């Protein structure tokens, strides 16, 4: 056995191991022990051991969730040894990858093989299982979340069964486990659909808020991938349109790309956020300067170099998925709320879209979706802003991102998701004793 174990192992030592903290620093827990299994079989043995010890189990990737979805006072599974590509099937155009593989490594490895995912989020630090289990998504008119690109997955259930799930094999589990919240078992491998690597042309352009809102449906319809950022306390937005290109490749110049993506978007922005936290009345002026700092630019590159960018400034985030037709009204209400309140908001508001999909607890399940995400610099009081935003989003039938700050519970979510009962019934079947439970899952799924 090559499993690594750390921390006390006795059943009476709950919460006495090394503390765990998420990326944003807003969630901490103290598991009894941490283990790093190197195979599905080793993982199954650890689950049986935890059951004997009377301990709950959670798996954690890179900790990029802002909720306590991965927190546990029992056994913390780290997938550090479950990494790498198992196989590439060029006939089926799929890649099977171990669950702990960071998206960054997967993207680079696929590009080396002349392949790519169809769509992805705007960062790639997460593990593939962590990203898909919480519903990580990018923006797309036709191509959906990372989880919607899954063609099969390997799941270890509470009793140690290693289960393969796809549309043909255990289809009822596949329908739910692609975004399983860690509630159905531990994902140990994922098979993704892939495409021959392609080029995207990114067109970034400043635009006024009223124009973006007026043309939102048109911008969505005319572009394969459209998103924009609105800077609170201003009327300024930055838009981004990504569309497939026949080439040739024209990547960002090394110095120019570093200046905008690292120096301005991370270095200068970090300093601006720190100043705003220390002197909140300065935030509107900082926002006006920040919103004018990024100029229009166009470049063409392979997908992961267009979709993703570095995010080194730490923050807290809330994101809600709305019916796409409700997006513009909600954004107008959000802008009016900020302008009519004493709130000082240092981070831009991010708006993306997704087509409807067929995953039970996907935020885009069964409906065309727009995502509205709000952020605040880490250490800034967030409750007033997030509470006001959440009130607007829930009034429009919003579904909270599973890995981002929200206060919704099972009663609300059962109304928001038509297939909620399907998911909880499957959970009852696969984990009747709640081996994978924690406080977060008790709140959002019930017990």
């Amino acid at each position: 056995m090559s499993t690594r174990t750390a921390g006390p192992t006795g059943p009476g030592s709950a919460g006495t191991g090394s503390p765990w903290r998420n990326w944003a620093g807003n969630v901490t827990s103290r598991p009894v022990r941490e283990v790093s299994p190197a195979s599905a079989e080793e993982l199954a043995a650890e689950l049986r051991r935890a059951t004997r010890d009377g301990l709950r189990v959670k798996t954690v990737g890179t900790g990029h969730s802002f909720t306590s979805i991965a927190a546990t006072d029992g056994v913390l599974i780290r997938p550090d040894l479950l990494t790498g590509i198992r196989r590439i099937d060029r006939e089926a155009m799929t890649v099977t990858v171990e669950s702990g593989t960071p998206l960054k490594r997967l993207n680079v490895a696929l590009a080396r093989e002349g392949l790519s995912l169809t769509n992805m989020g705007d960062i790639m630090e997460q593990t593939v299982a962590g990203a898909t289990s919480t519903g990580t998504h990018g923006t797309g008119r036709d191509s959906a979340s990372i989880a919607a690109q899954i063609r099969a997955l390997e799941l270890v259930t509470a009793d140690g069964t290693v289960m393969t799930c796809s549309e043909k094999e255990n289809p009822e589990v596949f329908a739910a486990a692609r975004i399983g919240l860690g509630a159905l078992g531990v994902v140990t491998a994922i098979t993704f659909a892939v495409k021959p690597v392609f080029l995207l042309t990114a067109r970034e352009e400043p635009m006024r808020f009223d124009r973006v809102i007026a043309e939102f449906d048109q911008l969505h319809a005319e572009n394969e991938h459209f998103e924009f950022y609105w800077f609170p306390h201003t009327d300024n937005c930055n838009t981004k349109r990504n569309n497939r290109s026949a080439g040739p490749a024209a990547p960002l110049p090394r110095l120019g790309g570093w200046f905008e993506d690292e120096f301005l978007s991370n270095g200068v922005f970090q300093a601006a956020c720190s100043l705003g936290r220390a002197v909140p009345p300065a935030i509107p002026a900082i926002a006006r300067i920040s919103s004018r700092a990024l100029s229009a630019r166009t470049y063409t590159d392979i997908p992961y170099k267009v979709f993703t960018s570095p995010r080194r400034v730490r923050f807290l985030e809330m994101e809600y998925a709305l019916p796409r037709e409700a997006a513009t009204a909600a954004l107008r209400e959000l802008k009016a709320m900020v302008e009519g309140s004493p709130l000082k908001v240092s981070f831009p508001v991010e708006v993306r879209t997704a087509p409807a999909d067929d995953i039970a607890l996907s935020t885009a399940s069964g409906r065309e979706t727009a995502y509205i995400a709000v952020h605040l610099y880490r250490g800034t009081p967030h409750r007033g802003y997030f509470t006001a935003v959440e009130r607007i989003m829930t009034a429009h039938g919003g579904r909270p991102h599973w890995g981002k700050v929200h206060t919704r519970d099972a009663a609300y979510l059962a109304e928001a998701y038509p297939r909620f009962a399907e998911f909880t019934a499957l959970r009852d079947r696969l984990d009747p004793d709640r081996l994978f439970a924690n406080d977060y899952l008790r709140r959002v799924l019930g017990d």
Side-chain angles (χ1 to χ4, degrees):
M1 294 272 290
S2 55
T3 305
R4 292 202 306 257
T5 303
T9 60
S13 54
T16 59
S18 300
W20 170 82
R21 184 183 301 270
N22 69 340
W23 176 82
N26 66 310
V27 177
T28 58
S29 67
R30 190 178 289 272
V32 167
R33 62 176 178 260
E34 297 182 11
V35 296
S36 297
S39 67
E41 292 71 28
E42 289 185 9
L43 173 61
E46 290 294 345
L47 298 185
R48 289 189 287 267
R49 179 184 173 205
T51 299
R52 289 194 303 269
D53 290 346
L55 298 173
R56 306 293 185 197
V57 176
K58 295 308 298 179
T59 305
V60 65
T62 55
H64 268 75
S65 289
F66 301 91
T67 63
S68 55
I69 192 168
T72 185
D73 59 1
V75 179
L76 190 69
I77 305 287
R78 289 192 179 272
D80 306 5
L81 303 181
L82 296 170
T83 60
I85 292 176
R86 285 190 185 179
R87 63 184 172 274
I88 294 173
D89 185 335
R90 292 185 182 273
E91 184 175 340
M93 288 303 287
T94 60
V95 58
T96 301
V97 61
E98 301 279 346
S99 60
T101 307
L103 283 166
K104 185 173 187 176
R105 285 175 55 188
L106 174 62
N107 287 333
V108 171
L110 286 176
R112 194 178 296 126
E113 295 288 337
L115 301 169
S116 177
L117 296 174
T118 306
N119 200 356
M120 59 196 74
D122 57 10
I123 65 169
M124 53 180 180
E125 305 305 317
Q126 313 101 308
T127 62
V128 293
T132 55
S133 293
T134 55
T136 295
H137 62 90
T139 190
R141 181 190 61 205
D142 309 306
S143 53
S145 70
I146 303 176
Q149 298 169 65
I150 295 176
R151 294 297 173 263
L153 56 85
E154 183 179 83
L155 183 75
V156 183
T157 58
D159 63 2
T161 300
V162 181
M163 179 184 294
T164 301
C165 309
S166 68
E167 289 184 345
K168 295 181 179 179
E169 194 171 0
N170 299 303
E172 75 288 355
V173 179
F174 181 72
R178 284 171 287 171
I179 299 179
L181 316 186
L184 305 177
V186 179
V187 175
T188 47
I190 298 175
T191 299
F192 291 104
V194 292
K195 300 285 187 183
V197 72
F198 53 93
L199 292 172
L200 286 171
T201 292
R203 179 183 171 192
E204 299 177 10
E205 180 185 8
M207 198 176 288
R208 302 290 283 179
F209 179 88
D210 286 344
R211 180 185 168 193
V212 178
I213 295 300
E215 298 179 9
F216 180 72
D217 289 338
Q218 179 183 347
L219 289 163
H220 168 78
E222 292 179 349
N223 295 282
E224 293 174 79
H225 309 273
F226 173 71
E227 63 185 304
F228 73 92
Y229 298 83
W230 165 60
F231 293 81
H233 311 294
T234 79
D235 290 319
N236 301 327
C237 297
N238 195 46
T239 63
K240 185 173 182 179
R241 286 166 268 192
N242 300 330
N243 291 286
R244 291 205 184 202
S245 169
L252 286 169
R254 184 179 298 272
L255 181 59
W258 173 87
F259 180 76
E260 294 214 341
D261 292 336
E262 284 290 356
F263 182 72
L264 289 181
S265 296
N266 285 293
V268 172
F269 189 53
Q270 171 81 55
C273 287
S274 297
L275 175 60
R277 186 175 63 186
V279 189
I283 287 175
I286 294 171
R288 287 190 291 273
I289 296 169
S290 298
S291 66
R292 297 190 185 104
L294 299 175
S295 56
R297 63 181 186 176
T298 301
Y299 56 97
T300 301
D301 214 329
I302 60 175
Y304 83 85
K305 294 185 179 180
V306 173
F307 286 130
T308 70
S309 55
R311 292 283 188 272
R312 309 199 197 286
V313 181
R314 303 212 178 197
F315 53 83
L316 288 183
E317 181 176 358
M318 169 182 282
E319 181 177 62
Y320 266 81
L322 307 184
R324 188 166 59 80
E325 62 273 15
T328 55
L331 285 162
R332 287 193 183 97
E333 291 170 32
L334 174 55
K335 187 171 187 286
M337 181 274 292
V338 171
E339 292 173 348
S341 76
L343 292 168
K344 299 293 184 284
V345 182
S346 57
F347 256 81
V349 173
E350 182 180 22
V351 182
R352 295 175 286 176
T353 66
D357 65 41
D358 64 349
I359 305 171
L361 291 190
S362 167
T363 45
S365 182
R367 71 186 191 190
E368 294 274 328
T369 295
Y371 293 97
I372 299 177
V374 299
H375 316 67
L376 281 176
Y377 185 48
R378 186 173 68 172
T380 303
H382 68 278
R383 292 190 187 278
Y385 180 40
F386 283 10
T387 298
V389 170
E390 192 167 42
R391 190 175 298 120
I392 294 169
M393 300 303 153
T394 55
H396 288 280
R399 299 168 177 170
H401 189 298
W402 298 107
K404 299 178 185 179
V405 176
H406 69 93
T407 66
R408 300 300 88 189
D409 61 13
Y412 177 91
L413 296 164
E415 295 294 323
Y417 287 91
R419 298 171 65 185
F420 189 83
E422 173 189 330
F423 187 96
T424 55
L426 181 63
R427 183 192 186 206
D428 288 341
R429 192 185 103 200
L430 296 181
D431 187 17
D433 298 321
R434 302 296 189 257
L435 178 67
F436 303 114
N438 64 2
D439 289 343
Y440 179 78
L441 292 184
R442 277 186 283 274
R443 172 163 67 89
V444 299
L445 297 178
D447 206 24

